[in-house]
Structures are given as C-alpha cells and as structure tokens.
Amino acid sequence: MLDRLRALSYIAACALVAGCPKQIAPLVPVPLAPGDRMQALGWTGSTVPRHSTAIRFRFQFQDDRRHWTGRGTARVAPPDSLRFDYVGPLGLGAGAAVVVGDSTIWADPEENFRSLVPGIPMLWAALGIVRPPAPDALVERGGVAPSTIWRFSRGGDTLAYVATEGVPNVLEAEWRREGKVLARSRTELTDRALPAKARVDFPEAPARFELTVVGVDTTATFAPSLWRSRR
C-alpha cells in the first residue's frame, strides 16, 4: 500500500512538470516513530563513498523556458565535499561549483548552478548520498523491509528519504518547506551503492533535472586547486 501511495504521489509531481497543477501527496504519507539520531548518522554515513570518487554523467534540464542537455562530472571527496562541473552542447553553458556539506562555497556562474540545483540536499540525494540531520533537527524513522524511511525536520523544512533494496536499489527523497513540495527525486543505484541514473522534479518552477551516469572512478585523486574558485 505504501509503495502504491508513493507511486501515485510521484506521478502527481511529474504531472506538475508537464503543466497540470495538482496537490502533491507526501513521499511518506504515514506517521513515523521518533528516530535515534546516532542511528540516523550511521545510516546517512553509509551512503557516502569510502574513497574519493569521480562520477561522469549526461544530463537533461527542462523548465518552461528551455530544454538543455549536456554532460558533467561530480567529484565527491568524503565525507562532505563535492565539485560539480557541467557543460552544454558545443561547450556552451559551462559552469562549476564547490559544495561543502549543505553550503555552496562558490558557483560560477551562480545563476546557472542554482537553476540546475535549487536545493543542495537534493543534489546529494541525486548522487545517492544522504546528508545527515542538523543537530537540532527532529529525527523520525519508519519502513518495513525492503524499505527504510527517515524524515528530518528543522524549522519549516522537511527532508524525507525512502531507501528500497531491490533490482535496482532505489533512493527517493523529498524536500518540503512549510508543507509545500519544493523537490522530489528518485535515484537508481548499482549493487555497489553508486548512482546509475537520477531524476529530480521541482514542481514549483516547474522544472526537471535528469542525469545518467556514464562512468565512475572510485580511485580518483583531486588536486587542491580543484576546490578553488575559477575567478
């Protein structure tokens, strides 16, 4: 029943991107029990790659003004650093950003990056990585095998995650602010817990960002200069 409700709510989110405004049901439409913060930290930590990892991908971005395709690379340095590079066809629309935790350290050009990635936790989720709850966040847990559910609430923001083991493994995420869905994502993972493809819908825009992984290097090394601003 929970799987069916989640599927219906995701269809509703996609309908918004197509221009059909509907009320979006929560990713987790059931009450959850209080969760243990240390267990939450253990679970989120298990989603982070153990070694520096470079993820090459193709992407599509679509909103009411444009349809943009391109390629990019996400370089993850555990436990919380990310360099995100992207470029459109013929080298147009290139940009990059560095993220540490939930903060953007720099983005160039900033407008393009924030258009692609309105919410940093959703970018991490698209890569199969879950950010830990803030120290003062309300932590809740639920789910029945093969699904695990966590929900972290702080102020007016709520981040919900549903991890389901299967073929493929799937990580779903949802970001709400004051009850309104800002983003909904679904990431398919390999048996090594690495992203294979992902889709993030932004119903308020409306917009959609999709990526398909074309290569992963789990032995990557990153020069210190990689994290400095390009300006």
Side-chain angles (χ1 to χ4, degrees):
M1 184 64 178
L2 178 58
D3 288 341
R4 183 181 179 187
L5 289 172
R6 288 211 312 270
L8 290 173
S9 66
Y10 195 79
I11 290 172
C14 298
L16 268 180
V17 176
C20 304
K22 296 181 181 179
Q23 183 67 30
I24 302 177
L27 175 65
V28 183
V30 295
L32 299 180
D36 180 89
R37 177 175 171 78
M38 293 306 297
Q39 290 182 355
L41 294 176
W43 178 71
T44 58
S46 71
T47 68
V48 179
R50 295 184 179 181
H51 308 285
S52 294
T53 301
I55 303 168
R56 293 184 293 107
F57 58 86
R58 297 191 303 271
F59 74 85
Q60 297 185 58
F61 177 81
Q62 182 176 356
D63 61 14
D64 58 356
R65 297 180 296 113
R66 57 181 172 172
H67 184 193
W68 183 22
T69 63
R71 53 188 169 81
T73 302
R75 297 173 175 87
V76 179
D80 61 358
S81 298
L82 168 67
R83 163 83 184 232
F84 190 81
D85 292 85
Y86 54 91
V87 63
L90 304 177
L92 301 176
V98 163
V99 170
V100 176
D102 296 323
S103 301
T104 302
I105 305 304
W106 59 264
D108 182 22
E110 184 171 355
E111 180 180 353
N112 285 0
F113 178 69
R114 295 200 181 279
S115 175
L116 286 174
V117 187
I120 298 303
M122 302 306 294
L123 172 59
W124 284 112
L127 298 173
I129 299 169
V130 179
R131 292 291 304 144
D136 57 345
L138 172 66
V139 175
E140 299 171 286
R141 183 180 182 180
V144 177
S147 294
T148 299
I149 301 172
W150 288 93
R151 187 162 58 206
F152 309 143
S153 304
R154 180 174 181 262
D157 286 350
T158 299
L159 290 163
Y161 300 94
V162 180
T164 304
E165 295 183 3
V167 183
N169 296 321
V170 173
L171 174 66
E172 297 170 277
E174 178 186 81
W175 174 27
R176 284 182 174 253
R177 174 165 290 169
E178 304 297 344
K180 183 180 295 185
V181 176
L182 298 185
R184 176 77 60 82
S185 70
R186 184 180 190 276
T187 302
E188 295 186 7
L189 305 168
T190 69
D191 56 3
R192 299 173 59 197
L194 296 168
K197 61 180 180 179
R199 171 173 168 169
V200 188
D201 288 296
F202 304 98
E204 288 296 302
R208 176 184 300 156
F209 175 73
E210 298 176 89
L211 66 83
T212 301
V213 174
V214 296
V216 177
D217 181 1
T218 57
T219 63
T221 57
F222 307 141
S225 59
L226 183 75
W227 308 104
R228 299 194 202 104
S229 173
R230 304 193 305 179
R231 293 186 181 275

